[in-house]
Coordinates of all heavy atoms in Angstrom, one line a residue:
D1377 N 110.9 65.3 147.4 CA 109.6 64.7 147.7 C 109.5 63.3 147.4 O 110.1 62.8 146.4 CB 108.5 65.5 147.0 CG 108.4 66.9 147.5 OD1 108.7 67.2 148.7 OD2 108.0 67.8 146.7
R1378 N 108.8 62.6 148.2 CA 108.6 61.1 147.9 C 107.3 60.9 147.2 O 106.3 61.4 147.7 CB 108.7 60.4 149.3 CG 108.5 58.9 149.1 CD 108.7 58.2 150.5 NE 108.3 56.8 150.3 CZ 108.5 56.0 151.2 NH1 108.9 56.3 152.4 NH2 108.2 54.7 151.0
I1379 N 107.3 60.1 146.2 CA 106.1 59.7 145.5 C 105.9 58.3 145.6 O 106.8 57.5 145.3 CB 106.2 60.1 144.0 CG1 106.4 61.6 143.8 CG2 105.0 59.7 143.2 CD1 106.7 62.0 142.4
E1380 N 104.7 57.8 146.0 CA 104.4 56.4 146.2 C 103.5 56.0 145.0 O 102.6 56.6 144.7 CB 103.8 56.1 147.5 CG 104.7 56.3 148.7 CD 104.2 55.7 149.9 OE1 103.4 54.7 149.8 OE2 104.5 56.2 151.0
I1381 N 103.9 54.9 144.4 CA 103.2 54.3 143.3 C 102.7 52.9 143.8 O 103.4 52.1 144.1 CB 104.0 54.1 142.0 CG1 104.6 55.5 141.6 CG2 103.2 53.5 140.9 CD1 105.6 55.4 140.5
K1382 N 101.4 52.8 143.8 CA 100.8 51.5 144.3 C 101.2 50.4 143.4 O 101.2 50.5 142.2 CB 99.3 51.6 144.4 CG 98.8 52.6 145.5 CD 97.4 52.5 145.8 CE 97.0 53.6 146.8 NZ 96.5 53.1 148.0
G1383 N 101.6 49.3 144.0 CA 101.9 48.1 143.2 C 103.4 48.0 143.0 O 103.9 47.0 142.5
I1384 N 104.2 49.0 143.3 CA 105.6 49.0 143.1 C 106.2 48.7 144.5 O 106.1 49.5 145.4 CB 106.2 50.3 142.5 CG1 105.6 50.6 141.2 CG2 107.7 50.3 142.5 CD1 106.0 49.7 140.1
G1385 N 106.9 47.6 144.6 CA 107.4 47.2 145.9 C 108.9 47.4 146.1 O 109.6 46.6 146.6
G1386 N 109.4 48.5 145.6 CA 110.8 48.8 145.7 C 111.2 50.1 145.1 O 110.4 50.7 144.4
P1387 N 112.5 50.5 145.2 CA 112.9 51.8 144.6 C 113.0 51.8 143.1 O 113.4 50.7 142.5 CB 114.2 52.1 145.3 CG 114.7 50.8 145.7 CD 113.5 49.9 146.0
L1388 N 112.8 52.9 142.5 CA 113.0 53.1 141.0 C 114.3 53.8 140.9 O 114.5 54.9 141.4 CB 111.9 53.9 140.4 CG 110.5 53.4 140.6 CD1 109.5 54.4 140.0 CD2 110.3 52.0 140.0
V1389 N 115.3 53.2 140.2 CA 116.6 53.7 140.1 C 117.0 53.9 138.6 O 116.8 53.0 137.8 CB 117.7 52.8 140.7 CG1 119.1 53.3 140.7 CG2 117.3 52.5 142.2
C1390 N 117.6 55.0 138.3 CA 118.1 55.3 136.9 C 119.1 54.2 136.5 O 120.0 53.9 137.3 CB 118.7 56.7 136.9 SG 119.4 57.1 135.3
C1391 N 119.0 53.7 135.3 CA 119.9 52.7 134.9 C 120.6 53.1 133.5 O 120.5 52.4 132.5 CB 119.3 51.3 134.7 SG 118.1 51.2 133.5
G1392 N 121.4 54.2 133.6 CA 122.1 54.6 132.4 C 123.0 53.5 131.9 O 122.8 52.9 130.9
G1393 N 124.1 53.2 132.7 CA 125.0 52.2 132.3 C 124.9 51.0 133.2 O 125.6 50.0 133.0
G1394 N 124.1 51.1 134.3 CA 123.9 50.0 135.2 C 124.6 50.1 136.5 O 124.3 49.4 137.4
G1395 N 125.6 51.0 136.6 CA 126.4 51.1 137.8 C 125.6 51.5 139.0 O 125.8 50.9 140.1
L1396 N 124.9 52.6 138.9 CA 124.1 53.1 140.0 C 123.0 52.1 140.4 O 122.8 51.8 141.6 CB 123.4 54.4 139.6 CG 122.5 55.0 140.7 CD1 123.3 55.4 141.9 CD2 121.8 56.3 140.1
L1397 N 122.4 51.4 139.4 CA 121.4 50.4 139.7 C 122.0 49.2 140.4 O 121.5 48.8 141.4 CB 120.8 49.9 138.4 CG 119.7 48.9 138.4 CD1 118.5 49.3 139.2 CD2 119.3 48.5 137.0
A1398 N 123.2 48.7 140.0 CA 123.8 47.6 140.6 C 124.3 48.0 142.0 O 124.1 47.2 143.0 CB 125.0 47.2 139.8
G1399 N 124.9 49.2 142.2 CA 125.3 49.6 143.5 C 124.1 49.7 144.5 O 124.2 49.4 145.7
T1400 N 123.0 50.3 144.0 CA 121.8 50.4 144.9 C 121.3 49.0 145.3 O 121.0 48.8 146.4 CB 120.7 51.2 144.1 OG1 121.2 52.5 143.8 CG2 119.5 51.4 145.0
A1401 N 121.2 48.1 144.3 CA 120.8 46.8 144.6 C 121.7 46.1 145.6 O 121.2 45.4 146.6 CB 120.7 46.0 143.3
L1402 N 123.0 46.2 145.5 CA 123.9 45.6 146.4 C 123.8 46.2 147.8 O 123.7 45.5 148.8 CB 125.4 45.8 145.9 CG 126.5 45.2 146.7 CD1 126.3 43.7 146.8 CD2 127.8 45.6 146.2
A1403 N 123.7 47.5 147.9 CA 123.6 48.2 149.2 C 122.3 47.7 149.9 O 122.3 47.4 151.1 CB 123.7 49.7 149.0
L1404 N 121.2 47.7 149.1 CA 120.0 47.4 149.8 C 119.9 45.9 150.2 O 119.3 45.5 151.2 CB 118.8 47.7 148.8 CG 118.5 49.2 148.7 CD1 117.4 49.4 147.6 CD2 118.1 49.8 150.0
S1405 N 120.6 45.1 149.4 CA 120.6 43.6 149.7 C 121.4 43.4 151.0 O 121.1 42.5 151.8 CB 121.3 42.8 148.6 OG 122.7 43.0 148.6
K1406 N 122.4 44.3 151.3 CA 123.1 44.1 152.6 C 122.4 44.8 153.8 O 122.6 44.4 154.9 CB 124.5 44.8 152.4 CG 125.3 44.1 151.3 CD 125.6 42.7 151.7 CE 126.5 42.1 150.5 NZ 126.6 40.6 150.7
L1407 N 121.6 45.9 153.5 CA 121.0 46.7 154.6 C 119.6 46.2 154.9 O 119.1 46.4 156.0 CB 120.9 48.1 154.2 CG 122.3 48.8 154.0 CD1 122.1 50.2 153.4 CD2 123.0 48.9 155.3
A1408 N 118.9 45.6 154.0 CA 117.5 45.3 154.2 C 117.4 44.0 155.0 O 118.2 43.1 155.0 CB 116.8 45.0 152.8
K1409 N 116.3 44.0 155.8 CA 116.1 42.8 156.7 C 115.3 41.7 155.9 O 115.3 40.6 156.4 CB 115.3 43.3 157.9 CG 116.1 44.2 158.8 CD 115.3 44.6 160.1 CE 116.2 45.5 160.9 NZ 115.6 46.0 162.1
S1410 N 114.7 42.1 154.8 CA 114.1 41.1 154.0 C 114.4 41.4 152.5 O 115.1 42.4 152.2 CB 112.5 41.2 154.2 OG 112.1 42.5 153.8
S1411 N 114.0 40.6 151.6 CA 114.3 40.9 150.2 C 113.7 42.2 149.7 O 112.6 42.5 150.1 CB 113.9 39.7 149.3 OG 112.5 39.6 149.3
V1412 N 114.4 42.8 148.8 CA 114.0 44.1 148.2 C 114.1 44.0 146.7 O 115.1 43.5 146.2 CB 114.8 45.3 148.7 CG1 114.4 46.6 148.0 CG2 114.7 45.4 150.2
R1413 N 113.1 44.4 146.0 CA 113.2 44.4 144.5 C 113.5 45.9 144.1 O 112.9 46.8 144.6 CB 111.8 44.1 143.9 CG 111.5 42.6 144.1 CD 110.2 42.2 143.5 NE 110.3 42.2 142.1 CZ 109.4 42.0 141.2 NH1 108.1 41.9 141.6 NH2 109.6 42.0 139.9
V1414 N 114.5 46.0 143.2 CA 115.0 47.3 142.7 C 114.6 47.4 141.3 O 114.9 46.4 140.5 CB 116.5 47.5 143.0 CG1 116.9 48.8 142.4 CG2 116.8 47.4 144.4
F1415 N 114.0 48.4 140.8 CA 113.5 48.6 139.4 C 114.4 49.6 138.7 O 114.5 50.7 139.2 CB 112.1 48.9 139.4 CG 111.1 47.9 140.0 CD1 110.8 48.0 141.4 CD2 110.6 46.9 139.2 CE1 110.0 47.0 141.9 CE2 109.8 45.9 139.8 CZ 109.5 46.0 141.2
G1416 N 114.9 49.2 137.6 CA 115.7 50.1 136.7 C 114.8 50.9 135.8 O 113.9 50.3 135.2
V1417 N 114.9 52.2 135.7 CA 114.1 53.0 134.8 C 115.0 53.9 134.0 O 116.1 54.2 134.3 CB 113.1 53.9 135.6 CG1 112.1 53.0 136.4 CG2 113.9 54.8 136.6
E1418 N 114.5 54.2 132.8 CA 115.2 55.1 131.9 C 114.2 55.8 131.0 O 113.1 55.3 130.8 CB 116.3 54.4 131.1 CG 115.8 53.2 130.3 CD 117.0 52.4 129.7 OE1 118.1 52.8 129.8 OE2 116.7 51.3 129.2
P1419 N 114.5 56.9 130.4 CA 113.6 57.7 129.5 C 113.3 56.9 128.2 O 114.2 56.1 127.8 CB 114.4 58.9 129.2 CG 115.5 59.0 130.1 CD 115.8 57.7 130.6
V1420 N 112.1 57.1 127.7 CA 111.7 56.4 126.5 C 112.7 56.6 125.3 O 113.0 55.8 124.6 CB 110.3 56.7 126.1 CG1 109.9 56.2 124.8 CG2 109.3 56.3 127.2
N1421 N 113.1 57.9 125.2 CA 114.0 58.3 124.1 C 115.5 58.0 124.3 O 116.3 58.4 123.5 CB 113.7 59.7 123.7 CG 114.1 60.7 124.8 OD1 114.3 60.3 125.9 ND2 114.2 62.0 124.4
A1422 N 115.8 57.4 125.5 CA 117.2 57.1 125.8 C 117.3 55.8 126.5 O 117.7 55.7 127.7 CB 117.9 58.2 126.6
C1423 N 116.8 54.7 125.9 CA 116.6 53.4 126.6 C 117.7 52.4 126.1 O 117.4 51.3 125.7 CB 115.2 52.9 126.4 SG 114.7 52.8 124.6
G1424 N 118.9 52.8 126.3 CA 120.0 51.9 125.9 C 120.1 50.6 126.6 O 120.4 49.6 126.0
M1425 N 119.8 50.6 127.9 CA 119.9 49.3 128.7 C 118.8 48.4 128.2 O 119.0 47.2 128.0 CB 119.7 49.6 130.2 CG 119.8 48.4 131.0 SD 121.4 47.5 131.0 CE 122.4 48.6 132.0
Y1426 N 117.6 48.9 128.0 CA 116.5 48.1 127.5 C 116.8 47.5 126.2 O 116.6 46.3 126.0 CB 115.2 48.9 127.5 CG 114.0 48.2 126.8 CD1 113.3 47.3 127.5 CD2 113.6 48.5 125.5 CE1 112.3 46.6 127.0 CE2 112.5 47.9 125.0 CZ 111.9 46.9 125.7 OH 110.8 46.3 125.1
K1427 N 117.3 48.3 125.2 CA 117.6 47.8 123.9 C 118.8 46.8 123.9 O 118.8 45.9 123.2 CB 117.8 49.0 123.0 CG 116.5 49.7 122.7 CD 116.7 50.8 121.7 CE 115.4 51.5 121.4 NZ 115.5 52.6 120.4
S1428 N 119.7 47.1 124.8 CA 120.9 46.2 124.9 C 120.4 44.8 125.4 O 120.9 43.8 124.9 CB 121.9 46.7 125.9 OG 122.5 47.9 125.4
L1429 N 119.5 44.8 126.4 CA 119.0 43.5 126.9 C 118.2 42.8 125.8 O 118.2 41.5 125.7 CB 118.2 43.7 128.1 CG 119.0 44.1 129.4 CD1 118.0 44.5 130.5 CD2 119.9 43.0 129.8
Q1430 N 117.5 43.5 124.9 CA 116.7 42.9 123.9 C 117.6 42.2 122.9 O 117.3 41.1 122.4 CB 115.9 43.9 123.1 CG 114.6 44.3 123.8 CD 113.8 45.3 123.0 OE1 114.3 46.2 122.3 NE2 112.5 45.1 123.0
V1431 N 118.7 42.8 122.5 CA 119.6 42.2 121.4 C 120.7 41.3 122.0 O 121.4 40.7 121.3 CB 120.2 43.3 120.5 CG1 119.1 44.0 119.8 CG2 121.1 44.3 121.2
G1432 N 120.9 41.4 123.3 CA 121.9 40.5 124.0 C 123.4 41.1 123.9 O 124.3 40.3 124.2
T1433 N 123.5 42.3 123.6 CA 124.9 42.9 123.6 C 124.7 44.4 123.8 O 123.6 45.0 123.6 CB 125.6 42.7 122.2 OG1 126.9 43.2 122.3 CG2 124.9 43.4 121.1
A1434 N 125.8 45.1 124.3 CA 125.7 46.5 124.6 C 125.6 47.3 123.3 O 126.3 47.1 122.3 CB 127.0 46.9 125.3
I1435 N 124.7 48.3 123.3 CA 124.5 49.2 122.2 C 124.6 50.6 122.8 O 124.4 50.8 124.0 CB 123.2 49.0 121.5 CG1 122.0 49.3 122.4 CG2 123.0 47.6 120.9 CD1 120.7 49.6 121.6
Y1436 N 124.9 51.5 121.9 CA 125.0 52.9 122.4 C 124.0 53.8 121.6 O 123.8 53.6 120.4 CB 126.5 53.4 122.1 CG 127.5 52.5 122.8 CD1 128.1 51.5 122.2 CD2 127.8 52.8 124.1 CE1 129.0 50.7 122.9 CE2 128.7 52.0 124.8 CZ 129.3 50.9 124.2 OH 130.2 50.2 124.8
I1437 N 123.4 54.7 122.4 CA 122.4 55.6 121.8 C 123.0 57.0 121.9 O 123.4 57.4 123.0 CB 121.1 55.5 122.5 CG1 120.5 54.1 122.3 CG2 120.1 56.6 122.0 CD1 119.2 53.9 123.1
I1438 N 123.1 57.7 120.8 CA 123.6 59.0 120.8 C 122.4 60.0 120.5 O 121.7 59.8 119.6 CB 124.7 59.2 119.6 CG1 125.8 58.3 119.9 CG2 125.1 60.7 119.5 CD1 126.8 58.2 118.8
I1439 N 122.3 60.9 121.4 CA 121.2 61.9 121.3 C 121.9 63.2 121.1 O 122.7 63.7 121.9 CB 120.4 61.9 122.6 CG1 119.8 60.5 122.9 CG2 119.3 63.0 122.5 CD1 119.1 60.4 124.2
L1440 N 121.6 63.8 120.0 CA 122.1 65.1 119.7 C 121.0 66.2 119.9 O 119.9 66.1 119.5 CB 122.6 65.2 118.2 CG 123.7 64.2 117.9 CD1 124.0 64.3 116.4 CD2 124.9 64.4 118.7
H1441 N 121.4 67.2 120.6 CA 120.5 68.4 120.8 C 121.0 69.6 120.0 O 122.2 69.9 120.2 CB 120.4 68.7 122.3 CG 119.7 67.7 123.1 ND1 118.4 67.5 123.1 CD2 120.3 66.7 123.9 CE1 118.1 66.4 123.9 NE2 119.2 66.0 124.4
R1442 N 120.2 70.1 119.2 CA 120.7 71.3 118.4 C 120.0 72.5 119.0 O 118.8 72.6 119.2 CB 120.3 71.1 117.0 CG 121.1 70.0 116.3 CD 120.8 70.0 114.9 NE 121.5 68.8 114.3 CZ 121.4 68.5 113.0 NH1 120.6 69.1 112.2 NH2 122.1 67.4 112.6
H1443 N 120.9 73.5 119.3 CA 120.4 74.8 119.8 C 120.8 75.9 118.8 O 121.9 76.0 118.5 CB 120.9 75.1 121.2 CG 120.5 74.0 122.2 ND1 119.3 74.0 122.8 CD2 121.2 73.0 122.7 CE1 119.2 73.0 123.6 NE2 120.4 72.4 123.6
F1444 N 119.8 76.6 118.4 CA 120.1 77.7 117.4 C 119.9 79.0 118.1 O 118.8 79.2 118.8 CB 119.2 77.6 116.2 CG 119.5 76.3 115.4 CD1 118.6 75.2 115.6 CD2 120.5 76.2 114.5 CE1 118.9 74.0 114.9 CE2 120.8 75.0 113.8 CZ 119.9 73.9 114.0
F1445 N 120.8 79.9 118.0 CA 120.7 81.2 118.6 C 120.8 82.3 117.5 O 121.6 82.1 116.6 CB 121.8 81.4 119.6 CG 121.8 80.5 120.7 CD1 122.5 79.3 120.7 CD2 121.0 80.7 121.8 CE1 122.5 78.4 121.7 CE2 120.9 79.8 122.9 CZ 121.7 78.6 122.8
E1446 N 120.0 83.3 117.6 CA 120.0 84.4 116.6 C 120.7 85.5 117.3 O 120.3 85.9 118.4 CB 118.6 84.8 116.2 CG 118.6 85.9 115.2 CD 117.2 86.3 114.8 OE1 116.4 85.4 114.7 OE2 117.0 87.5 114.6
I1447 N 121.8 86.0 116.7 CA 122.5 87.1 117.3 C 122.2 88.3 116.4 O 122.4 88.4 115.3 CB 124.0 86.8 117.3 CG1 124.3 85.6 118.1 CG2 124.8 88.1 117.8 CD1 125.7 85.1 118.1
G1448 N 121.6 89.3 117.1 CA 121.3 90.6 116.4 C 122.2 91.7 116.7 O 122.8 91.7 117.7
A1449 N 122.5 92.6 115.7 CA 123.4 93.7 115.9 C 122.6 94.9 116.3 O 121.5 95.1 116.0 CB 124.2 93.9 114.6

């Protein structure tokens, strides 16, 4: 489904490591008849790109999920 957000003038693209974001921007720049703004988005609790841009170098965020299972006899 397509969701439109007023005031956003371009696609929202996941930016985990930046590859999908860069590829999308490159493809749209070649296909679009006018300029297109592409917005990178990431979850609040996994915002490695945002934090890397803040400090000026690549950082890595490790998210550990613990799942506990009870096995009954």
Side-chain angles (χ1 to χ4, degrees):
D1377 292 330
R1378 181 177 173 175
I1379 299 171
E1380 289 194 32
I1381 303 171
K1382 293 189 184 243
I1384 300 292
L1388 305 176
V1389 181
C1390 176
C1391 68
L1396 178 62
L1397 179 61
T1400 301
L1402 179 64
L1404 289 176
S1405 72
K1406 300 298 180 189
L1407 296 173
K1409 294 182 179 178
S1410 61
S1411 64
V1412 176
R1413 294 180 71 185
V1414 179
F1415 298 89
V1417 296
E1418 55 189 351
V1420 172
N1421 63 346
C1423 54
M1425 181 65 74
Y1426 174 75
K1427 290 183 178 182
S1428 294
L1429 291 172
Q1430 281 185 319
V1431 298
T1433 187
I1435 64 163
Y1436 301 93
I1437 297 176
I1438 298 172
I1439 301 172
L1440 300 175
H1441 295 280
R1442 294 185 182 175
H1443 298 281
F1444 297 97
F1445 298 95
E1446 181 179 323
I1447 300 174

